[in-house]
Amino acid sequence: MYAPRQRRQRAAQRRAEKRAAQARTFKTASRDVERMSASAANVLRVAAQAAAGARYSYGATGPGSFDCSGFTSYVFDKVGISLPHSSSAQRSMVRRVSTPQPGDLVFVYNGGGGSIGHVGIYAGNGYWWEASNPSMGVGKHRAW
């Protein structure tokens, strides 16, 4: 009796993983698949609102100043998605895609393919919303 239950649990887990992969969403238990796709425009709207008048400050989580992961976690929190305040921890929560869509998180690796060093929210057409550094500030910039 024990082995069939394990098989059913593994099969259910594989089905859930497949649905999550097909939906191109975060793999978190706190929200459903449809919520992210329906809220991509809302993510971009919230990003624009959060960036307005904000400045860059390392370690800041908003609303008046942000660092990169503080900005993305603040924006996604406003649409009901909890993200940690660390770009590498945020990367561990998402599935890699070959072509980002507006509203997707975009990550930048440190030189040589090392660890994650930066995160932004893809806005489309080669731009992203980000909290870059003190000289560039927080806003919609050309992705680098």
Side-chain angles (χ1 to χ4, degrees):
M1 287 196 279
Y2 187 69
R5 187 175 95 181
Q6 284 181 325
R7 281 193 290 266
R8 285 192 308 270
Q9 287 173 335
R10 279 189 236 143
Q13 182 178 0
R14 283 192 300 274
R15 285 190 304 272
E17 289 171 355
K18 184 177 179 181
R19 282 191 306 272
Q22 288 171 338
R24 299 185 65 249
T25 73
F26 295 96
K27 293 181 187 175
T28 64
S30 63
R31 62 187 186 79
D32 60 28
V33 171
E34 293 77 28
R35 189 170 186 172
M36 182 58 195
S37 10
S39 68
N42 195 31
V43 167
L44 298 178
R45 182 187 57 78
V46 172
Q49 290 172 342
R55 62 184 178 80
Y56 177 89
S57 180
Y58 181 79
T61 59
S65 60
F66 300 97
D67 69 359
C68 67
S69 62
F71 179 71
T72 55
S73 62
Y74 178 88
V75 169
F76 278 83
D77 183 64
K78 293 297 180 188
V79 297
I81 300 167
S82 179
L83 293 175
H85 183 205
S86 158
S87 55
S88 60
Q90 289 179 11
R91 171 60 187 99
S92 71
M93 295 180 70
V94 300
R95 185 176 65 86
R96 184 182 186 129
V97 297
S98 58
T99 307
Q101 300 299 309
D104 285 352
L105 291 174
V106 182
F107 299 89
V108 177
Y109 287 87
N110 290 323
S115 62
I116 300 292
H118 186 63
V119 62
I121 301 169
Y122 189 65
N125 298 320
Y127 285 85
W128 60 9
W129 288 98
E130 65 170 337
S132 182
N133 58 52
S135 63
M136 284 192 67
V138 180
K140 185 177 178 181
H141 305 127
R142 179 159 294 285
W144 39 274

